[in-house]
Amino acid sequence: SLLQTPQPCNLPLQCPVESMERVNRIAGHVRAGVANQPGLSAQATAGASSPIIESLKGKIAAMAKTQSAKKAELLKTYGDKKIQDVTVEMAINGARSMKTMVTETSDLDANTGIAYRGKSLYECNKELPKAPGGASGLPEAAFWLLLTGEVPSDAECKAFTEELHKRSSIPANVMATIDSLPIDTHPMTQLSISMLALQKDSKFAKQYDSGMKKNEYWEFALEDALDLVAKIPVVAAKIYRRTFKDGKMPEYNSKLDWAANYAQMLGVNQDEAFNEVTRLYLMLHADHEGGNVSAHTTHLVGSALSDPYYAWAAGLCGLAGPLHGLANQECLSWLLDVQKQLGGQTPTKELLTDFANKTLKEGKVIPGFGHAVLRNTDPRYMLEREFALKHCAKDPLFQLVDACYQAIPPVLEKGGKVKNPFPNVDAHSGQLMYFYNLKEQNYYTVVFAVSRAIGCMAQYVWARAIGLPIERPKSVPLDVLEKLAKK
């Protein structure tokens, strides 16, 4: 009979009762207070592990309340207000310059470069707390800035660094997963797999499955974000040591800052200047608004409420692409090839001008110059240049970089085919890594990934804090686009 009393189910995944409980939990997410402003839940507050995290959550909660109200007001008052025309070129050529995303943490200006919470990179490098005796802004301080909109005090930064150290342990199963991979697996593949292996312990996923309100999403997203940023240098160093060295890891040193500890776990250079350049690099690359491939991928996957580990694993796959994160190593390969072709000649502006003209006449591209958005010299390049002039001005490879800086922009500008003839950060970063004995170019994108995890995780937290919905743009075939264009 269809009206028989249901019998107990021994198959958890198919049990009607448990299925309904699951449905009810999911429904609870939808019902859970769209009108509720973000705040600290009793559960999350009770679970706060330290005073610095309680302070961090309090700052985010207060700011999220303001920004959520602003979002609601914008939708209510200006929801149908047009802010931009969409052209056929935008639709075909990768949505370039289309203002179709909200990213709270940073903004990229074509003339002045990236700004972290309204502060230029020059300001960040000046104002962020430093290591004792150092001149480079600490990347974990940049993480705090991106999360809170505030430059941390020295005491806050110290406590925040200590908190990251406490969260840095890697489960044995994750290390075993890495060790199970063939040694010749690309380091970025190993890193993405590592993030997926860490996902088992996602606090966001666990809490979502047990049921939480929408205005609590950001709190557990933050917990995962902090854990991920704390752990990624360790797995990144593990990947380097097993792939390129003897597999033995230098000891984790919690007395060092986040970046210096990562630098020393690589085991390639014990000089304090290597710690400093690592701090600088990781701070400069931490965020670059939300439209680049890795950030956008992370945002897109996260918008489905996939947890931070899933989202960043996907973002890493985008970062591994030759047109995104691999640009750094391609620039270094080009520089080393030029150096070889010069045959020991001292690189000069005149010599590189002739070389650049010859390269372009052969139909070849000069990597590291120009940028999809920037229309001036990349501030990240200039800050790395300042570091190089102070620490390695006599390095033959830097002298080549310097000659390129002087010679190539006028050549490209004269050609008139590029909107920005100036160097971007990729034209310099490889030289600095190479100088300090980090010479395995296939690993360079992993260093980039350790840095960019900061920005993408801050973006993830803020997307949940202000309740951004799942992303679902409209796509059309070319013939439909043609019809629209001819209307």
Side-chain angles (χ1 to χ4, degrees):
S1 168
L2 294 176
L3 299 179
Q4 286 179 342
T5 302
Q7 297 299 309
C9 178
N10 295 320
L11 298 175
L13 294 178
Q14 299 175 0
C15 177
V17 175
E18 293 194 9
S19 295
M20 285 307 299
E21 288 177 355
R22 172 68 175 164
V23 169
N24 287 334
R25 285 200 300 271
I26 294 173
H29 293 279
V30 178
R31 293 193 302 266
V34 176
N36 292 344
Q37 294 292 350
L40 289 177
S41 68
Q43 183 179 11
T45 303
S49 58
S50 67
I52 193 64
I53 296 305
E54 290 182 5
S55 174
L56 175 63
K57 287 184 175 181
K59 291 176 183 293
I60 295 173
M63 194 175 182
K65 184 175 181 180
T66 300
Q67 294 306 95
S68 293
K70 180 181 289 186
K71 183 196 75 171
E73 180 61 26
L74 281 168
L75 287 171
K76 179 181 177 181
T77 307
Y78 302 106
D80 59 354
K81 177 74 173 181
K82 184 173 74 172
I83 60 172
Q84 186 179 21
D85 290 319
V86 177
T87 66
V88 170
E89 181 183 7
M90 289 175 174
I92 292 177
N93 289 343
R96 290 290 176 92
S97 301
M98 285 177 62
K99 297 179 177 65
T100 58
M101 294 179 65
V102 171
T103 302
E104 287 288 277
T105 57
S106 61
D107 185 45
L108 180 59
D109 183 87
N111 295 309
T112 59
I114 195 68
Y116 294 172
R117 293 289 187 175
K119 292 184 179 295
S120 72
L121 289 180
Y122 299 109
E123 292 172 323
C124 288
N125 201 44
K126 180 181 179 181
E127 297 177 23
L128 292 174
K130 317 281 191 299
S136 300
L138 292 173
E140 59 263 54
F143 192 20
W144 182 281
L145 171 63
L146 294 172
L147 286 169
T148 68
E150 301 176 6
V151 172
S153 66
D154 288 342
E156 285 174 327
C157 188
K158 183 175 184 294
F160 192 46
T161 300
E162 291 173 354
E163 179 67 29
L164 293 175
H165 284 318
K166 291 176 184 176
R167 294 169 177 258
S168 65
S169 63
I170 308 298
N173 68 286
V174 176
M175 289 300 199
T177 297
I178 297 172
D179 282 330
S180 72
L181 300 172
I183 291 293
D184 59 355
T185 303
H186 194 284
M188 284 297 288
T189 307
Q190 296 186 53
L191 188 62
S192 186
I193 290 171
S194 301
M195 294 300 101
L196 291 175
L198 286 165
Q199 189 277 335
K200 179 180 73 70
D201 298 315
S202 167
K203 296 170 184 174
F204 182 92
K206 181 179 179 180
Q207 194 64 28
Y208 188 96
D209 193 53
S210 64
M212 63 175 162
K213 296 178 180 179
K214 289 182 71 174
N215 63 347
E216 295 174 346
Y217 288 174
W218 72 267
E219 301 171 53
F220 295 94
L222 177 64
E223 288 294 327
D224 274 1
L226 294 172
D227 287 346
L228 190 154
V229 170
K231 296 176 191 300
I232 195 170
V234 184
V235 295
K238 164 74 171 176
I239 290 165
Y240 177 78
R241 297 299 304 181
R242 76 179 296 267
T243 305
F244 302 107
K245 303 298 180 181
D246 59 6
K248 298 178 181 178
M249 287 269 292
E251 187 175 351
Y252 190 101
N253 188 350
S254 61
K255 294 181 180 180
L256 296 174
D257 55 89
W258 182 78
N261 177 58
Y262 171 48
Q264 291 309 305
M265 284 192 295
L266 294 174
V268 298
N269 194 315
Q270 295 183 349
D271 191 57
E272 176 58 23
F274 181 53
N275 293 345
E276 267 291 274
V277 77
T278 303
R279 294 175 187 122
L280 180 66
Y281 179 95
L282 297 182
M283 188 277 287
L284 294 179
H285 288 76
D287 205 22
H288 217 234
E289 72 166 32
N292 64 78
V293 171
S294 55
H296 189 191
T297 302
T298 304
H299 172 82
L300 173 64
V301 175
S303 78
L305 297 186
S306 299
D307 64 62
Y309 296 100
Y310 277 135
W312 186 226
L316 289 171
C317 293
L319 191 64
L323 297 183
H324 189 20
L326 261 65
N328 182 357
Q329 72 183 64
E330 290 186 342
C331 288
L332 177 62
S333 295
W334 184 82
L335 287 168
L336 293 173
D337 183 59
V338 172
Q339 191 177 57
K340 184 178 180 180
Q341 291 186 50
L342 291 178
Q345 298 180 77
T346 300
T348 62
K349 179 180 179 180
E350 293 72 24
L351 192 61
L352 265 294
T353 297
D354 291 340
F355 189 89
N357 281 317
K358 178 185 175 183
T359 299
L360 294 176
K361 286 180 181 178
E362 293 174 351
K364 299 178 181 178
V365 174
I366 300 175
F369 288 77
H371 190 273
V373 179
L374 291 172
R375 294 297 173 261
N376 282 314
T377 301
D378 191 337
R380 298 171 298 178
Y381 177 96
M382 294 306 297
L383 285 163
E384 289 189 346
R385 176 176 168 81
E386 288 177 12
F387 183 95
L389 286 168
K390 181 179 179 180
H391 293 278
C392 53
K394 294 182 179 180
D395 174 39
L397 197 58
F398 170 69
Q399 292 174 354
L400 175 58
V401 170
D402 182 50
C404 289
Y405 171 72
Q406 298 178 51
I408 292 176
V411 172
L412 294 176
E413 199 166 27
K414 185 178 179 181
K417 293 183 179 180
V418 296
K419 295 180 180 179
N420 173 15
F422 304 106
N424 62 60
V425 69
D426 295 314
H428 210 318
S429 297
Q431 175 269 325
L432 289 171
M433 294 185 191
Y434 202 82
F435 178 77
Y436 286 104
N437 204 36
L438 186 59
K439 296 185 176 182
E440 294 82 3
Q441 297 170 42
N442 268 358
Y443 186 76
Y444 286 4
T445 311
V446 173
V447 184
F448 190 171
V450 171
S451 172
R452 189 54 59 85
I454 288 175
C456 288
M457 287 300 95
Q459 289 183 28
Y460 185 104
V461 171
W462 271 94
R464 303 291 80 76
I466 61 175
L468 295 181
I470 190 168
E471 186 174 298
R472 180 58 170 90
K474 171 64 177 170
S475 65
V476 296
L478 284 174
D479 59 345
V480 173
L481 188 63
E482 183 180 31
K483 291 177 183 176
L484 291 170
K486 291 181 177 179
K487 276 189 177 181

